[in-house]
């Protein structure tokens, strides 16, 4: 798929639709939500590897919620031009506990670096890592803050995709052992 204005317009529209769905679910449940996406540089947002990374994120969230003594009230997943997306509503955990849980998953799971697990409070406030004195996420390829590299386009999409694949294949290899 070539990258051009049509692709990026499509991705932007899909992200706007995700925000509308998030708002609907926030209003419906009046509980914090977990928004799950995959870090996927470039316009190819739905490759088989990305879908497997997404599936593992969903499984890990469900397992972690269950082990916390809570339960998933809603899991809604979809795929759009912006990639796979899921929204979770969890019972019995505060938004602070949910954010701590998602940060721990991002930091400790072998694929966690490839997940974007956002927690949105019922008042539509995004809980960020900085709210918990947690460091900003680092770039996949260097020690800089990921957002700095993304804004400056410091690394090529090909190099970022290659690193994603390396992380994924290491995970798959470890799973088989």
């Amino acid at each position: 798929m070539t990258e051009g204005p049509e692709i990026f317009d499509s991705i932007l529209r899909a992200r706007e639709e995700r925000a509308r769905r998030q708002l609907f679910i926030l209003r419906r449940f009046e509980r914090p939500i977990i928004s799950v996406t995959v870090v996927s540089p470039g316009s190819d947002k739905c490759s088989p590897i990305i879908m497997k990374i997404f599936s593992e994120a969903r499984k890990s969230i469900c397992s972690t919620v269950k082990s916390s003594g809570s339960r998933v009230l809603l899991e809604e997943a979809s795929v759009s031009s912006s990639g796979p997306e899921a929204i979770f509503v969890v019972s019995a955990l505060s938004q602070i506990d949910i954010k701590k849980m998602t940060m721990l998953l991002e930091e400790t799971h072998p694929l966690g670096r490839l997940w974007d697990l956002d927690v949105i409070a019922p008042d539509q406030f995004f809980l960020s890592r900085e709210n918990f004195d947690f460091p900003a996420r680092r770039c996949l390829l260097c020690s800089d803050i990921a957002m700095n590299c993304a804004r400056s386009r410091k690394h090529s999409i090909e190099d970022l995709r290659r690193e994603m694949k390396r992380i994924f294949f290491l995970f798959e290899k470890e799973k088989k052992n």
Side-chain angles (χ1 to χ4, degrees), residues 60-61 64 101-109 112 115 117:
S60 294
I61 289 169
T64 303
M101 177 188 77
T102 60
M103 288 188 305
L104 187 64
L105 279 172
E106 287 175 335
E107 294 296 319
T108 61
H109 192 284
W115 302 337
L117 308 178

Side-chain angles (χ1 to χ4, degrees), residues 71-88:
R71 65 187 177 92
V72 172
L73 298 174
L74 172 80
E75 178 185 2
E76 179 184 282
S78 62
V79 179
S80 70
S81 56
S82 67
E85 310 161 351
I87 298 172
F88 286 84

Side-chain angles (χ1 to χ4, degrees), residues 99-100 103 127-137:
K99 183 61 181 179
K100 287 178 181 177
M103 288 188 305
L127 284 94
S128 72
R129 297 166 73 84
E130 291 78 29
N131 296 127
F132 297 88
D133 293 324
F134 222 73
R137 296 196 62 180

Side-chain angles (χ1 to χ4, degrees), residues 5-171:
E6 307 84 28
I7 302 293
F8 293 113
D9 285 346
S10 175
I11 291 170
L12 182 59
R13 281 192 305 276
R15 288 179 179 169
E16 289 169 351
E17 178 55 33
R18 176 175 54 213
R20 278 192 289 277
R21 279 195 321 276
Q22 290 170 344
L23 182 57
F24 174 79
I25 292 170
L26 283 166
R27 288 180 176 160
R28 178 177 162 207
F29 284 89
E30 297 180 348
R31 300 270 321 133
I33 63 171
I34 304 169
S35 173
V36 181
T37 57
V38 175
V39 175
S40 53
S43 60
D44 183 7
K45 306 285 188 190
C46 299
S47 71
I49 288 176
I50 289 171
M51 297 308 293
K52 289 177 184 175
I53 292 167
F54 177 69
S55 176
E56 190 62 37
R58 291 174 62 195
K59 283 189 245 173
S60 294
I61 289 169
C62 288
S63 173
T64 303
V65 166
K66 185 177 179 180
S67 69
S68 77
S70 189
R71 65 187 177 92
V72 172
L73 298 174
L74 172 80
E75 178 185 2
E76 179 184 282
S78 62
V79 179
S80 70
S81 56
S82 67
E85 310 161 351
I87 298 172
F88 286 84
V89 178
V90 176
S91 72
L93 293 176
S94 72
Q95 59 199 33
I96 291 170
D97 290 337
I98 294 169
K99 183 61 181 179
K100 287 178 181 177
M101 177 188 77
T102 60
M103 288 188 305
L104 187 64
L105 279 172
E106 287 175 335
E107 294 296 319
T108 61
H109 192 284
L111 295 177
R113 186 58 196 90
L114 303 178
W115 302 337
D116 188 8
L117 308 178
D118 291 326
V119 176
I120 309 167
D123 62 2
Q124 300 174 49
F125 177 75
F126 277 75
L127 284 94
S128 72
R129 297 166 73 84
E130 291 78 29
N131 296 127
F132 297 88
D133 293 324
F134 222 73
R137 296 196 62 180
R138 296 288 168 191
C139 174
L140 287 174
L141 297 173
C142 71
S143 61
D144 198 359
I145 294 172
M147 190 58 71
N148 293 345
C149 291
R151 283 188 185 131
S152 68
R153 297 181 184 203
K154 184 176 180 179
H155 309 289
S156 73
I157 290 172
E158 294 77 26
D159 287 345
L160 290 164
R161 286 182 182 155
R162 192 170 17 261
E163 181 62 10
M164 282 184 68
K165 288 177 184 176
R166 186 190 72 76
I167 292 168
F168 175 74
F169 289 125
L170 278 175
F171 170 73

